[in-house]
Amino acid sequence: MSIEELARANVRALTPYQSARRLGGNGDVWLNANEYPTAVEFELTQQTLNRYPECQPKLVIERYAEYAGVKPEQVLVSRGADEGIELLIRAFCEPGKDAVLYCPPTYGMYSVSSEAFNVECRTVPTLENWQLDLSGIAEQIEGVKVIYVCSPNNPTGQLINPQDFRVLLEMARGKALVVADEAYIEFCPQATLTGWLEEYPHLVVLRTLSKAFALAGLRCGFTIAAEEVINLLMKVIAPYPLSTPVADIAAQALSPQGINAMRERVAEVLLIRQYLIAGLRETACVEQVFDSETNYVLARITASSAVFKSLWDRGIILRDQNKQPSLSGCLRITVGTRTECERALTALRQQPGLTATEAV
Ligand SMILES: *Cc1c(COP(=O)(O)O)cnc(C)c1O
C-alpha cells in the first residue's frame, strides 16, 4: 500500500483550510485575515522554560473570567478559538453517527474540523438577509450535536438576531449545543450572549485574542460555557495546550491596562472603518457595501475576480469571498491602518465601474 492509501479515507478526501497565510501573496498591504494592522509589544516575564506549563494557566483563566463576567469554572483556554471549535466536536460528536450544523456563508473552520474527524457536516444556508433559516434548521436538526453560529458573522459582518438565537436555543435544548462564535465581539460588545449562559446550559461562546486584542500570532482563544461542558472539554484537550510564553503574554493582554489598550484600538478601528465604508460607497467599481459590526467590510464589486487580482498584483491583498453561497462578486476587506485603507481605495478607484466594458 502507498503511504497515501494508508491514510484514513476522510483525510485523503480533505481539503485543508485555505487560510489567508496559506493562500500566500507578495503584499505589503495585508487586508485579508482580519488581523490588527500593527504589532503590540510585550516582554516575557516567565523564564521557567525548563518546566512544563500549567494546562489551564490560573491567572489567564481568572482574568478572562473577570473580563467576560463569568466564573473561572466556565472558562477554557486553548490554542486559538479554532482549537475550541475542534474540542467541541471531539467531545460531543460520534464519528459516522452524529452531525454538526452551520449556516453558510460563514467561517470555514466548522466544516474543516468536522471533516477531519469524519463527522457529518450539515449546512442550512442563511436567508437572503444572512439571518438564520430557523424552519430549515428545524428540519435538519435530527442527529445534530453541535450547531455553530458566528455572530457577528464572518465574512458578512452583521449580528445574528438575538430573538432567532432564543428560538434556536429552545429548539436545541436537550439535543445539541449551540455555539456562538464571538471572535469579533469586542467590536460590538453589547451584543454578547454570555449573559444567557445561566438560562441555557447548552449555550457555548467562543472568543479569541486574535482580533481586537491584536494577538493572532499568539494563538490563544477561549471557550465559555456551563461548568459541565468545560469539564467534558477538559477530558479531550492536550495536557499542555499553551506554552509558558503564550500564557505569560495572554495574562498581560488581559490585565486592566491590556484591556484598556484593546478598547482604544477598537475605537480607532471603528473610526477607520467609517472612513473605509464612506470611501467604498464613492468608488465606481463598488456596487454594494454591507454594514459591519466588525473590523472588516464586505463589498460587492464589479468584475470582482479581476479587481482582486489587480490589487493582489499591486501588493494589496484582500480576501475573495466569491465562492461562498450568496456572495458572488464579494470581496472582504480588513480595516487596516488609515494609510492602508487609503491605498486600497486608491487602487479600487483605478478599476472600471459598471459602465466600463473592459477590465484593466
Ligand atoms: C479568526 C476567527 C476565529 C479563529 O480565532 P483563533 O483564535 O485565531 O483560532 C474563529 N472564528 C472566527 C469567526 C474567526 O473569524
Side-chain angles (χ1 to χ4, degrees):
M1 254 195 261
S2 70
I3 298 292
E4 177 73 16
E5 285 164 335
L6 286 175
R8 287 160 52 195
N10 67 302
V11 172
R12 295 208 306 262
L14 208 66
T15 317
Y17 180 65
Q18 293 297 307
S19 70
R21 274 286 167 278
R22 261 188 186 163
L23 289 170
N26 232 338
D28 56 345
V29 178
W30 293 96
L31 303 179
N32 66 342
N34 300 341
E35 297 150 327
Y36 187 71
T38 54
V40 178
E41 278 185 34
F42 288 94
E43 268 173 41
L44 294 182
T45 64
Q46 304 290 316
Q47 302 296 342
T48 53
L49 295 179
N50 58 316
R51 300 292 176 196
Y52 281 108
E54 292 173 274
C55 177
Q56 292 288 292
K58 197 161 176 283
L59 187 58
V60 175
I61 294 288
E62 283 174 357
R63 286 189 171 169
Y64 202 83
E66 188 177 346
Y67 163 68
V70 298
K71 294 197 284 274
E73 296 74 29
Q74 294 178 279
V75 177
L76 180 97
V77 62
S78 60
R79 180 182 25 78
D82 283 348
E83 188 179 22
I85 292 170
E86 188 184 299
L87 291 173
L88 287 159
I89 295 172
R90 277 164 59 184
F92 288 89
C93 298
E94 201 80 67
K97 176 165 170 277
D98 300 328
V100 154
L101 189 150
Y102 65 93
C103 305
T106 192
Y107 187 52
M109 280 304 291
Y110 313 135
S111 65
V112 170
S113 290
S114 320
E115 283 162 17
F117 289 101
N118 207 15
V119 166
E120 183 199 341
C121 240
R122 244 176 252 170
T123 56
V124 178
T126 61
L127 305 173
E128 245 170 70
N129 62 0
W130 295 325
Q131 291 295 332
L132 301 178
D133 174 4
L134 289 165
S135 52
I137 295 173
E139 283 168 22
Q140 295 286 321
I141 203 167
E142 209 46 53
V144 169
K145 283 288 192 67
V146 182
I147 304 169
Y148 292 101
V149 179
C150 187
S151 182
N153 187 36
N154 179 4
T156 54
Q158 97 289 30
L159 286 163
I160 299 304
N161 294 332
Q163 190 48 40
D164 291 354
F165 257 118
R166 290 234 182 245
V167 175
L168 181 62
L169 281 158
E170 290 306 338
M171 196 193 296
R173 203 187 275 276
K175 292 192 180 119
L177 297 180
V178 174
V179 183
D181 186 339
E182 296 191 342
Y184 300 93
I185 203 68
E186 281 80 13
F187 299 101
C188 50
Q190 74 295 340
T192 181
L193 298 189
T194 48
W196 295 11
L197 287 163
E198 290 292 317
E199 233 176 306
Y200 301 107
H202 57 306
L203 171 63
V204 177
V205 175
L206 293 175
R207 298 282 192 83
T208 179
L209 298 187
S210 296
K211 310 289 163 53
F213 281 92
L215 290 171
L218 189 65
R219 309 308 302 130
C220 185
F222 297 87
T223 304
I224 311 174
E227 193 176 347
E228 210 181 346
V229 173
I230 300 298
N231 289 342
L232 286 160
L233 299 180
M234 281 296 292
K235 291 188 177 190
V236 296
I237 200 169
Y240 312 108
L242 266 60
S243 71
T244 302
V246 169
D248 185 1
I249 291 168
Q252 294 176 48
L254 293 166
S255 69
Q257 304 91 296
I259 290 169
N260 271 341
M262 177 277 287
R263 293 200 171 117
E264 282 168 18
R265 282 193 299 272
V266 166
E268 182 201 358
V269 168
L270 298 191
L271 283 177
I272 301 173
R273 183 181 74 198
Q274 230 175 359
Y275 164 80
L276 176 64
I277 290 177
L280 287 169
R281 294 209 159 119
E282 287 166 18
T283 298
C285 70
V286 178
E287 294 169 17
Q288 202 174 2
V289 185
F290 299 98
D291 288 332
S292 169
E293 301 285 343
T294 64
N295 67 338
Y296 52 87
V297 175
L298 188 76
R300 183 162 275 131
I301 289 178
T302 304
S304 69
S305 298
V307 170
F308 176 82
K309 171 97 182 21
S310 166
L311 267 67
W312 174 286
D313 290 340
R314 296 169 202 218
I316 303 168
I317 314 295
L318 311 183
R319 188 84 156 150
D320 193 354
Q321 297 291 343
N322 194 44
K323 296 267 153 56
Q324 288 233 48
S326 84
L327 299 189
S328 65
C330 288
L331 303 181
R332 193 192 67 193
I333 310 172
T334 303
V335 179
T337 63
R338 190 173 281 263
T339 312
E340 288 172 334
C341 292
E342 254 170 45
R343 282 202 40 200
L345 285 171
T346 304
L348 285 168
R349 284 173 181 158
Q350 289 161 5
Q351 310 297 318
L354 261 187
T355 50
T357 49
E358 276 178 89
V360 195

